[in-house]
């Protein structure tokens, strides 16, 4: 059994801003733009923002590898570069894992394909998991935490074309989004996209850490089986109409929004509450890991409050549940006058 390394590639930084921080600027009806501008992107920080001195910072690559690496930001920028548009979605508060929060965006990342680093480092045949650690440390929900650590299987990471991103929407990563570099795993919830990367390590087992066992584990902390919050099952939301908007009876309402799923979207349906006849929405071309626009026409027949529902179904058949899950269907209530 290999022992976990205690190497610190970077000295432990002080925290520039300690503690939980969330910024969630957009409501669904404000998400009409295909590409979410960086200033409107949500920010989710559990432990705080570390001070990172990029002049001394390196990304460590270690664990069960032939060639451990220590890479500066300049080193990363001289490696092969990929740019990728992806849905970026927060799984919600880890203390309330079944509440949908609609913290979602569509952005472009650029950086080094993880595969390139895997090839350079050379993995031991026994490697199954990659562990990623941020430079941030502190306390979350009363528990002390040495660093924000996550894991994923190496198969999934390579299949998803994971990258070590150093750019967001064409600019250097802003500090709150993980400068100098973060992990990005297209199709996987934001919690896996470790910011302020300190090191990645390759091992033959999952990582035991606060954010892989107690939190972001749908099996709960005491179950033997793990159900990590990994891929995004399927989601959708209305960008229009806006909640509370007023419309005239006898007209036809244009509805629109976005749909996404790690496995790809099979269909999107729009309805008007329980017992509704679902109407299939029009769906634009498949756009890889980005979200897809849907549109539908809904005749408004009778006056009164009306609750619109959208549900998407992933390839493979999984449909969004109506409630009780982080990916539950989105509803919007409007008035028909
Ligand atoms: N190091 C570190 N990485 C992190 C987090 C964190 O607290 N520390 N939060 C995660 C969560 S829960 C989400 S949703 C995304 C949010 O990324 P953003 O703030 O860049 O939008 O970062 C993830 N990566
Ligand atoms: Mo999150």
């Amino acid at each position: 059994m290999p022992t976990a390394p205690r190497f610190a590639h970077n000295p432990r930084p002080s925290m520039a801003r300690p503690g939980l921080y969330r910024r969630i600027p957009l409501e669904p009806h404000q998400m009409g733009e295909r590409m979410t501008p960086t200033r409107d992107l949500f920010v989710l920080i559990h432990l705080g923002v570390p001070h990172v001195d990029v002049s001394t910072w390196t990304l460590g690559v270690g664990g069960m590898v032939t060639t451990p690496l220590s890479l500066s930001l300049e080193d990363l920028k001289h490696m092969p570069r990929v740019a990728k548009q992806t849905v970026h979605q927060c799984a919600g508060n880890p203390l309330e894992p079944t509440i949908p929060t609609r913290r979602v965006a569509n952005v472009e990342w650029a950086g080094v394909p993880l595969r390139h680093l895997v090839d350079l480092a050379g993995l031991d045949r026994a490697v199954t998991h990659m562990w990623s650690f941020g430079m941030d440390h502190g306390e979350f929900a009363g528990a002390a935490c040495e660093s924000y650590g996550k894991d994923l299987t190496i198969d999934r990471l390579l299949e998803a074309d994971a990258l070590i991103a150093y750019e967001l929407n064409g600019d250097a990563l802003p500090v709150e989004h993980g400068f100098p570099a973060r992990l990005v795993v297209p199709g996987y919830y934001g919690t896996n996209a470790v910011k302020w990367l300190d090191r990645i390590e390759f091992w033959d087992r999952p990582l035991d850490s606060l954010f892989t066992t107690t939190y972001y584990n749908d099996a709960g902390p005491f179950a033997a089986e793990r159900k990590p919050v990994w891929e995004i099952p399927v989601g959708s939301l209305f960008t229009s109409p806006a909640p509370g908007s007023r419309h005239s009876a006898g007209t036809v309402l244009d509805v629109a929004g976005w749909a996404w799923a790690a496995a790809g979207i099979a269909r999107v349906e729009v309805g008007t509450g329980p017992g509704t006849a679902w109407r299939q929405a029009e769906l634009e071309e498949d756009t890889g890991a980005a979200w897809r626009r849907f549109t539908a026409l809904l005749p408004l027949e009778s006056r009164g409050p009306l609750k619109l529902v959208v549900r998407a179904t992933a390839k493979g058949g999984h449909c969004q549940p109506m409630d009780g899950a982080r990916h539950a269907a989105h509803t919007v209530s409007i008035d028909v006058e």
Side-chain angles (χ1 to χ4, degrees):
M1 189 85 154
T3 52
R6 289 286 117 228
F7 64 94
H9 285 265
N10 297 290
R12 187 182 218 225
S14 61
M15 296 298 285
R17 186 172 62 196
L20 180 75
Y21 178 75
R22 293 185 196 139
R23 197 168 70 238
I24 301 144
L26 300 184
E27 295 292 322
H29 67 279
Q30 299 168 315
M31 296 179 186
E33 281 182 80
R34 179 178 304 276
M35 299 305 301
T36 310
T38 302
R39 65 171 183 282
D40 291 337
L41 181 57
F42 60 83
V43 177
L44 261 296
I45 291 169
H46 296 80
L47 306 170
V49 180
H51 266 300
V52 181
D53 177 358
V54 70
S55 67
T56 56
W57 174 87
T58 58
L59 171 67
V61 181
M64 296 165 69
V65 297
T66 317
T67 315
L69 307 167
S70 201
L71 305 164
S72 69
L73 182 57
E74 280 309 303
D75 293 336
L76 292 175
K77 287 185 178 169
H78 284 97
M79 288 179 173
R81 176 181 185 277
V82 284
K84 184 117 177 169
Q85 233 188 73
T86 73
V87 167
H88 177 50
Q89 182 174 19
C90 172
N93 183 345
L95 305 171
E96 299 174 336
T98 60
I99 308 283
T101 55
R102 326 278 170 211
R103 299 170 189 165
V104 59
N106 191 58
V107 293
E108 185 173 289
W109 309 100
V112 182
L114 180 68
R115 188 177 291 275
H116 181 73
L117 299 183
V118 162
D119 290 346
L120 281 183
L123 305 192
D124 186 288
R125 291 172 66 102
V127 166
T128 53
H129 288 71
M130 184 177 96
W131 303 354
S132 320
F133 298 93
M135 313 250 304
D136 43 337
H137 54 86
E139 201 187 284
F140 181 74
C145 188
E146 251 181 66
S147 68
Y148 186 83
K150 296 294 293 183
D151 67 8
L152 259 162
T153 65
I154 188 72
D155 295 353
R156 283 171 177 266
L157 286 161
L158 296 180
E159 203 197 322
D161 288 328
L163 59 147
I164 304 296
Y166 50 75
E167 279 177 27
L168 167 62
N169 289 340
D171 293 313
L173 273 181
V175 168
E176 58 192 9
H177 294 293
F179 180 83
R182 78 184 297 174
L183 180 64
V184 167
V185 194
Y188 285 67
Y189 277 116
T191 170
N192 300 291
V194 176
K195 305 197 268 195
W196 313 291
L197 269 179
D198 175 54
R199 61 194 197 278
I200 54 178
E201 297 176 3
F202 297 92
W203 294 106
D204 58 358
R205 58 192 186 279
L207 169 68
D208 283 322
S209 82
L210 190 61
F211 297 102
T212 57
T213 53
T214 307
Y215 299 118
Y216 302 109
N217 180 2
D218 285 340
F222 303 112
E225 192 203 346
R226 289 186 196 210
K227 281 198 196 158
V229 177
W230 278 349
E231 69 267 52
I232 300 172
V234 56
S236 61
L237 55 76
F238 287 114
T239 53
S240 70
S245 55
R246 293 149 184 256
H247 306 269
S248 308
T251 62
V252 176
L253 181 68
D254 273 313
V255 307
W258 304 110
W260 61 92
I265 293 285
R267 69 179 164 278
V268 176
E269 294 160 295
V270 174
T272 48
T276 181
W278 292 97
R279 286 163 186 267
Q280 189 146 336
E282 297 281 326
L283 197 55
E284 71 178 3
E285 294 276 286
D286 198 338
T287 41
W291 59 19
R292 289 170 77 178
R293 188 119 186 110
F294 70 83
T295 51
L297 296 174
L298 273 188
L300 300 177
E301 276 137 21
S302 40
R303 292 190 165 79
L306 188 65
K307 188 163 158 183
L308 308 182
V309 192
V310 57
R311 66 173 193 194
T313 303
K315 287 181 185 151
H318 180 69
C319 179
Q320 287 183 261
M322 286 303 113
D323 48 41
R326 63 171 70 84
H327 67 303
H330 184 217
T331 61
V332 165
S333 296
I334 60 167
D335 287 310
V336 183
E337 303 172 329

